[in-house]
Amino acid sequence: MHGDSVTIHGDLLAVGAPGKRTPLPEVQVLTVYSKTSTDKSEVQIISTSLDREGAMRSTYEFGTCADPGETISGKFALSFKEDTYSFARPILFDSGISAEQMQTTLEQSLNLVGRLSVARNDDPGCESLNAWRWEITFLDTTGAESFSADDHSLIGAGAVITSPTNTREVDLLRGSYEIINPFNNQTSRPLAYNASGSDVKTAIEDDLGITVRIVQSENTYLADPIPELGRRW
Protein backbone atom coordinates (compact mmCIF):
# COMPACT_ATOMS: atom_id res chain seq x y z
CA MET A 1 0.00 0.00 0.00
CA HIS A 2 1.58 3.29 -1.00
CA GLY A 3 0.67 6.83 -2.00
CA ASP A 4 -1.84 8.94 -0.19
CA SER A 5 -5.07 7.50 -1.46
CA VAL A 6 -8.03 6.47 0.67
CA THR A 7 -10.59 3.91 -0.37
CA ILE A 8 -13.58 2.32 1.34
CA HIS A 9 -14.96 -1.06 0.44
CA GLY A 10 -17.87 -2.20 2.56
CA ASP A 11 -16.71 -1.94 6.16
CA LEU A 12 -13.02 -1.94 5.14
CA LEU A 13 -11.03 1.32 5.03
CA ALA A 14 -7.71 1.41 3.17
CA VAL A 15 -5.38 4.39 3.64
CA GLY A 16 -2.25 4.92 1.60
CA ALA A 17 1.00 5.64 3.47
CA PRO A 18 3.09 8.19 1.49
CA GLY A 19 6.66 7.13 0.70
CA LYS A 20 6.31 3.51 1.84
CA ARG A 21 6.76 0.73 -0.67
CA THR A 22 7.14 -2.12 1.78
CA PRO A 23 3.85 -3.33 3.31
CA LEU A 24 4.00 -2.95 7.09
CA PRO A 25 1.26 -3.67 9.68
CA GLU A 26 0.03 -0.42 11.20
CA VAL A 27 -2.69 0.80 13.46
CA GLN A 28 -4.10 4.19 12.50
CA VAL A 29 -6.77 6.25 14.31
CA LEU A 30 -9.13 8.40 12.26
CA THR A 31 -11.42 11.08 13.67
CA VAL A 32 -14.43 11.80 11.52
CA TYR A 33 -16.88 14.65 12.05
CA SER A 34 -19.55 16.40 10.06
CA LYS A 35 -22.03 19.25 10.43
CA THR A 36 -25.75 18.54 10.38
CA SER A 37 -27.76 20.35 7.76
CA THR A 38 -30.71 20.93 10.11
CA ASP A 39 -31.05 22.46 13.60
CA LYS A 40 -32.26 20.26 16.42
CA SER A 41 -34.79 22.14 18.51
CA GLU A 42 -35.23 21.56 22.23
CA VAL A 43 -38.57 22.07 23.94
CA GLN A 44 -38.71 23.18 27.58
CA ILE A 45 -41.80 23.86 29.69
CA ILE A 46 -42.29 26.43 32.44
CA SER A 47 -45.53 26.20 34.38
CA THR A 48 -47.31 27.64 37.41
CA SER A 49 -49.84 25.76 39.55
CA LEU A 50 -51.55 25.84 42.93
CA ASP A 51 -53.79 23.83 45.24
CA ARG A 52 -57.02 24.69 43.44
CA GLU A 53 -59.30 23.06 46.01
CA GLY A 54 -57.94 25.22 48.80
CA ALA A 55 -57.43 28.35 46.73
CA MET A 56 -60.92 28.45 45.24
CA ARG A 57 -62.82 28.74 48.54
CA SER A 58 -64.55 31.85 49.76
CA THR A 59 -66.53 32.18 53.01
CA TYR A 60 -69.09 34.80 54.03
CA GLU A 61 -70.62 35.25 57.48
CA PHE A 62 -73.76 37.09 58.57
CA GLY A 63 -76.32 36.84 61.37
CA THR A 64 -79.50 38.04 63.00
CA CYS A 65 -79.96 39.78 66.35
CA ALA A 66 -82.58 41.80 68.26
CA ASP A 67 -82.96 43.57 71.57
CA PRO A 68 -82.13 41.52 74.69
CA GLY A 69 -84.88 39.04 75.54
CA GLU A 70 -86.66 39.44 72.20
CA THR A 71 -87.50 36.38 70.11
CA ILE A 72 -86.74 36.77 66.42
CA SER A 73 -89.23 35.48 63.87
CA GLY A 74 -90.30 36.35 60.34
CA LYS A 75 -88.09 36.22 57.26
CA PHE A 76 -84.92 37.70 55.81
CA ALA A 77 -83.68 37.88 52.22
CA LEU A 78 -80.36 37.27 50.48
CA SER A 79 -79.55 38.78 47.08
CA PHE A 80 -76.72 37.28 45.04
CA LYS A 81 -74.55 38.73 42.32
CA GLU A 82 -71.77 37.28 40.18
CA ASP A 83 -69.50 39.76 38.41
CA THR A 84 -72.03 42.16 36.89
CA TYR A 85 -74.88 39.64 36.76
CA SER A 86 -77.55 39.82 39.48
CA PHE A 87 -79.83 36.85 40.06
CA ALA A 88 -83.46 37.56 39.25
CA ARG A 89 -84.83 38.05 42.75
CA PRO A 90 -83.85 37.86 46.41
CA ILE A 91 -84.15 34.48 48.12
CA LEU A 92 -86.32 34.45 51.25
CA PHE A 93 -85.47 32.41 54.36
CA ASP A 94 -87.25 31.81 57.66
CA SER A 95 -85.44 33.46 60.55
CA GLY A 96 -84.55 30.10 62.14
CA ILE A 97 -83.69 28.16 58.98
CA SER A 98 -81.20 25.33 59.50
CA ALA A 99 -77.87 25.09 57.72
CA GLU A 100 -79.03 22.07 55.72
CA GLN A 101 -82.21 23.79 54.53
CA MET A 102 -80.35 26.95 53.56
CA GLN A 103 -77.72 24.96 51.66
CA THR A 104 -80.33 23.02 49.69
CA THR A 105 -82.23 26.20 48.81
CA LEU A 106 -79.08 28.02 47.68
CA GLU A 107 -77.80 25.09 45.64
CA GLN A 108 -81.06 24.84 43.75
CA SER A 109 -81.68 28.58 43.39
CA LEU A 110 -78.15 29.42 42.23
CA ASN A 111 -77.48 26.19 40.33
CA LEU A 112 -74.51 25.41 42.58
CA VAL A 113 -75.26 21.82 43.64
CA GLY A 114 -72.18 20.40 45.37
CA ARG A 115 -70.33 23.71 45.13
CA LEU A 116 -71.16 25.35 48.47
CA SER A 117 -71.63 24.50 52.13
CA VAL A 118 -73.51 26.23 54.94
CA ALA A 119 -72.96 26.18 58.72
CA ARG A 120 -75.14 27.71 61.46
CA ASN A 121 -73.94 28.66 64.95
CA ASP A 122 -75.20 30.48 68.04
CA ASP A 123 -74.26 34.14 68.32
CA PRO A 124 -72.69 34.52 71.81
CA GLY A 125 -72.71 38.28 71.47
CA CYS A 126 -76.48 38.51 70.98
CA GLU A 127 -78.89 38.23 73.93
CA SER A 128 -82.08 37.70 71.88
CA LEU A 129 -83.69 34.33 71.20
CA ASN A 130 -83.60 32.52 67.84
CA ALA A 131 -80.56 34.61 66.86
CA TRP A 132 -78.07 32.81 64.62
CA ARG A 133 -74.93 33.26 62.61
CA TRP A 134 -74.58 31.54 59.23
CA GLU A 135 -71.44 30.80 57.24
CA ILE A 136 -71.73 30.25 53.50
CA THR A 137 -68.65 28.78 51.82
CA PHE A 138 -68.33 28.68 48.04
CA LEU A 139 -66.18 25.62 47.28
CA ASP A 140 -65.31 26.31 43.65
CA THR A 141 -65.10 30.02 42.94
CA THR A 142 -62.74 32.66 41.63
CA GLY A 143 -64.17 35.25 44.01
CA ALA A 144 -66.51 36.89 41.52
CA GLU A 145 -69.61 36.37 43.68
CA SER A 146 -71.05 38.74 46.26
CA PHE A 147 -74.33 39.05 48.07
CA SER A 148 -76.28 41.30 50.40
CA ALA A 149 -78.74 40.61 53.24
CA ASP A 150 -82.03 42.37 53.94
CA ASP A 151 -83.99 42.06 57.18
CA HIS A 152 -87.12 42.06 54.95
CA SER A 153 -89.85 41.03 57.43
CA LEU A 154 -87.97 40.06 60.57
CA ILE A 155 -90.12 40.37 63.69
CA GLY A 156 -88.84 41.41 67.11
CA ALA A 157 -87.91 44.73 68.65
CA GLY A 158 -84.60 45.85 67.17
CA ALA A 159 -84.41 42.81 64.85
CA VAL A 160 -81.70 43.23 62.20
CA ILE A 161 -79.52 41.12 59.96
CA THR A 162 -75.86 42.00 59.54
CA SER A 163 -74.19 42.61 56.20
CA PRO A 164 -72.28 39.56 54.92
CA THR A 165 -68.58 39.73 55.75
CA ASN A 166 -66.01 37.93 53.63
CA THR A 167 -64.05 36.00 56.29
CA ARG A 168 -62.05 33.90 53.84
CA GLU A 169 -61.05 35.18 50.42
CA VAL A 170 -59.92 33.12 47.47
CA ASP A 171 -56.14 32.77 47.23
CA LEU A 172 -55.35 32.58 43.52
CA LEU A 173 -52.05 32.96 41.69
CA ARG A 174 -50.62 36.45 41.49
CA GLY A 175 -47.23 38.16 41.70
CA SER A 176 -44.20 37.30 39.58
CA TYR A 177 -41.44 34.75 39.05
CA GLU A 178 -37.90 34.67 37.64
CA ILE A 179 -36.06 32.28 35.32
CA ILE A 180 -32.50 31.16 36.15
CA ASN A 181 -29.91 29.92 33.68
CA PRO A 182 -28.42 26.91 35.56
CA PHE A 183 -25.15 27.06 33.62
CA ASN A 184 -24.14 30.57 34.68
CA ASN A 185 -26.76 31.45 37.36
CA GLN A 186 -27.95 34.49 35.43
CA THR A 187 -31.44 35.55 36.50
CA SER A 188 -34.15 37.07 34.35
CA ARG A 189 -36.25 40.10 35.12
CA PRO A 190 -39.42 39.44 37.18
CA LEU A 191 -42.16 38.01 34.97
CA ALA A 192 -45.83 38.42 35.84
CA TYR A 193 -47.85 35.29 36.64
CA ASN A 194 -49.89 36.02 33.47
CA ALA A 195 -46.95 36.98 31.24
CA SER A 196 -47.39 36.58 27.51
CA GLY A 197 -45.25 34.31 25.38
CA SER A 198 -43.45 37.31 23.87
CA ASP A 199 -42.64 38.67 27.34
CA VAL A 200 -41.01 35.38 28.35
CA LYS A 201 -39.11 35.12 25.05
CA THR A 202 -37.69 38.62 25.45
CA ALA A 203 -36.60 37.93 29.04
CA ILE A 204 -34.83 34.67 28.14
CA GLU A 205 -33.00 36.20 25.18
CA ASP A 206 -32.10 39.59 26.66
CA ASP A 207 -31.46 38.60 30.28
CA LEU A 208 -30.13 35.05 29.99
CA GLY A 209 -28.44 35.28 26.58
CA ILE A 210 -30.25 32.22 25.22
CA THR A 211 -31.68 32.28 21.72
CA VAL A 212 -35.29 31.16 21.59
CA ARG A 213 -37.22 30.39 18.42
CA ILE A 214 -40.74 30.75 19.83
CA VAL A 215 -42.60 30.79 23.16
CA GLN A 216 -46.24 29.77 23.32
CA SER A 217 -48.46 30.19 26.38
CA GLU A 218 -51.77 28.81 27.61
CA ASN A 219 -53.84 28.64 30.77
CA THR A 220 -53.95 25.11 32.14
CA TYR A 221 -57.22 24.79 34.10
CA LEU A 222 -59.67 23.96 31.33
CA ALA A 223 -62.79 24.25 33.50
CA ASP A 224 -62.03 27.94 34.07
CA PRO A 225 -59.04 28.92 31.90
CA ILE A 226 -57.67 31.99 33.66
CA PRO A 227 -53.97 32.55 34.55
CA GLU A 228 -54.83 32.84 38.24
CA LEU A 229 -55.45 29.06 38.25
CA GLY A 230 -52.31 27.96 36.39
CA ARG A 231 -50.39 28.84 33.24
CA ARG A 232 -47.83 27.15 31.00
CA TRP A 233 -45.19 28.50 28.62
Side-chain angles (χ1 to χ4, degrees):
M1 188 166 62
H2 62 86
D4 57 0
S5 63
V6 176
T7 183
I8 299 176
H9 180 70
D11 59 357
L12 180 64
L13 173 66
V15 181
K20 295 186 178 180
R21 297 182 178 276
T22 304
L24 295 173
E26 290 185 358
V27 176
Q28 298 188 12
V29 178
L30 301 179
T31 301
V32 180
Y33 71 94
S34 64
K35 293 184 178 179
T36 179
S37 59
T38 58
D39 294 332
K40 184 177 180 181
S41 298
E42 180 179 273
V43 177
Q44 295 193 5
I45 296 175
I46 301 171
S47 63
T48 57
S49 62
L50 77 169
D51 173 17
R52 295 191 183 101
E53 183 176 347
M56 297 177 70
R57 291 190 175 213
S58 179
T59 300
Y60 293 83
E61 182 179 299
F62 62 95
T64 55
C65 190
D67 293 341
E70 289 288 324
T71 299
I72 300 174
S73 60
K75 296 180 181 293
F76 62 87
L78 299 179
S79 299
F80 286 80
K81 184 177 181 180
E82 186 170 5
D83 287 328
T84 58
Y85 173 76
S86 297
F87 290 87
R89 60 183 178 182
I91 306 171
L92 292 178
F93 297 96
D94 289 331
S95 60
I97 189 169
S98 68
E100 294 77 11
Q101 291 172 322
M102 180 178 284
Q103 179 172 327
T104 299
T105 301
L106 290 175
E107 286 182 331
Q108 295 175 351
S109 300
L110 304 177
N111 193 26
L112 293 175
V113 176
R115 297 175 59 190
L116 60 82
S117 66
V118 178
R120 189 187 79 170
N121 301 291
D122 293 328
D123 187 346
C126 183
E127 298 179 4
S128 56
L129 304 177
N130 197 35
W132 303 100
R133 295 200 68 79
W134 289 270
E135 285 187 353
I136 300 176
T137 299
F138 295 88
L139 305 175
D140 183 15
T141 178
T142 57
E145 79 291 326
S146 62
F147 67 97
S148 59
D150 184 353
D151 51 27
H152 194 264
S153 58
L154 287 179
I155 299 173
V160 294
I161 187 167
T162 60
S163 297
T165 302
N166 191 190
T167 58
R168 172 175 174 165
E169 298 182 355
V170 295
D171 189 17
L172 306 183
L173 282 171
R174 55 192 183 276
S176 61
Y177 66 94
E178 298 173 341
I179 304 173
I180 299 175
N181 184 339
F183 299 104
N184 56 21
N185 291 322
Q186 284 185 307
T187 302
S188 74
R189 69 196 70 178
L191 290 162
Y193 72 94
N194 59 349
S196 66
S198 61
D199 290 339
V200 174
K201 182 177 186 296
T202 299
I204 294 175
E205 291 187 327
D206 292 355
D207 302 345
L208 305 184
I210 300 174
T211 301
V212 178
R213 178 173 294 177
I214 188 173
V215 175
Q216 297 175 316
S217 61
E218 62 178 348
N219 300 323
T220 55
Y221 186 49
L222 300 182
D224 193 356
I226 59 175
E228 287 82 0
L229 294 175
R231 191 163 171 82
R232 178 170 55 215
W233 295 266

